[in-house]
Amino acid sequence: MEQRENKLGFKGLLSEFRLYLCNEWIAGFPSQRIRNFYYRKVMHLSLGPGCSIFMHCSFDCAKNLSIGANSVINQKCRLDNRGGISIGENVSISQEVLILTADHDTEAIDFKGREKPVHIEDFVWIGTRAIILPGVTIGYGALIAAGAVVAKDVAPYSIMGGVPAKLIKARRKDLNYQTKYKRLFQ
């Protein structure tokens, strides 16, 4: 550990401490107002009006996350925002969803890491325990079934499910709702 601390430097240690506080203390604090203040001011995340990040969500770095108005991220989601995540408006992300933006090049001899952004457009609904892999764009109004693993881009209004996710059917195109909702302890 001592060797790593020397390599990180003081700024790196502060950054690691900020992330530790975020994921271990702030994420479990039962006030969304306080959590959002920390996410905006300390983590520098871009949160639209009316959006909700429920308790016990974790992040892999500061910055690189944008969430649109009235979008909801339910409890215990992991947002690997190192490569950048953009989430549109009125998006519902169910409990324990995993969004990855970084992996390792399987062809590299040095286990080289790489980052690819994830884009989630408006009115997307992602079911419980789905996994979104690096570099994926999920189109407007798409629905990802619970437990699906999304490895490729998803066309607008598609309902996808399975491992790997495949098209099940099309979703209706006259979507008109707000996912904005609050609970006392979220």
Side-chain angles (χ1 to χ4, degrees):
M1 180 70 175
E2 192 172 285
Q3 223 176 11
R4 183 159 187 237
E5 288 174 358
N6 290 337
K7 287 183 180 181
L8 283 176
F10 184 70
K11 241 182 164 175
L13 284 174
L14 282 178
S15 180
E16 289 293 316
F17 185 67
R18 168 181 57 187
L19 193 58
Y20 169 78
L21 280 178
C22 178
N23 292 334
E24 298 299 325
W25 291 79
I26 300 299
F29 200 81
S31 167
Q32 181 164 332
R33 187 171 289 182
I34 290 172
R35 286 195 315 274
N36 280 355
F37 175 83
Y38 189 88
Y39 296 152
R40 284 184 175 108
K41 301 298 182 185
V42 179
M43 295 293 288
H44 306 289
L45 306 179
S46 176
L47 307 180
C51 83
S52 298
I53 300 174
F54 284 21
M55 291 171 58
H56 305 293
C57 289
S58 67
F59 306 93
D60 282 20
C61 72
K63 302 181 184 175
N64 301 333
L65 175 65
S66 171
I67 303 173
N70 303 319
S71 289
V72 176
I73 299 173
N74 279 274
Q75 291 186 337
K76 299 179 183 174
C77 291
R78 176 176 170 216
L79 304 172
D80 170 10
N81 51 323
R82 291 174 289 176
I85 299 172
S86 64
I87 298 170
E89 296 183 0
N90 296 300
V91 171
S92 178
I93 298 178
S94 300
Q95 190 165 339
E96 297 181 5
V97 166
L98 174 58
I99 301 174
L100 298 173
T101 65
D103 64 6
H104 294 275
D105 184 353
T106 59
E107 302 299 318
I109 60 171
D110 62 354
F111 201 57
K112 183 178 180 170
R114 57 188 178 184
E115 297 173 355
K116 301 175 191 169
V118 168
H119 303 284
I120 300 170
E121 296 181 4
D122 299 346
F123 292 101
V124 168
W125 174 11
I126 301 176
T128 300
R129 293 191 175 168
I131 300 172
I132 313 302
L133 295 178
V136 168
T137 295
I138 301 177
Y140 188 100
L143 187 155
I144 308 301
V149 177
V150 181
K152 296 181 180 175
D153 289 351
V154 175
Y157 304 106
S158 298
I159 297 177
M160 307 287 285
V163 179
K166 292 184 174 30
L167 181 65
I168 296 171
K169 66 179 189 176
R171 190 175 183 200
R172 64 183 308 149
K173 294 184 179 179
D174 57 346
L175 304 172
N176 184 20
Y177 57 82
Q178 285 190 345
T179 55
K180 178 180 176 178
Y181 64 94
K182 302 249 187 243
R183 293 180 9 208
L184 182 58
F185 297 104
Q186 56 185 6

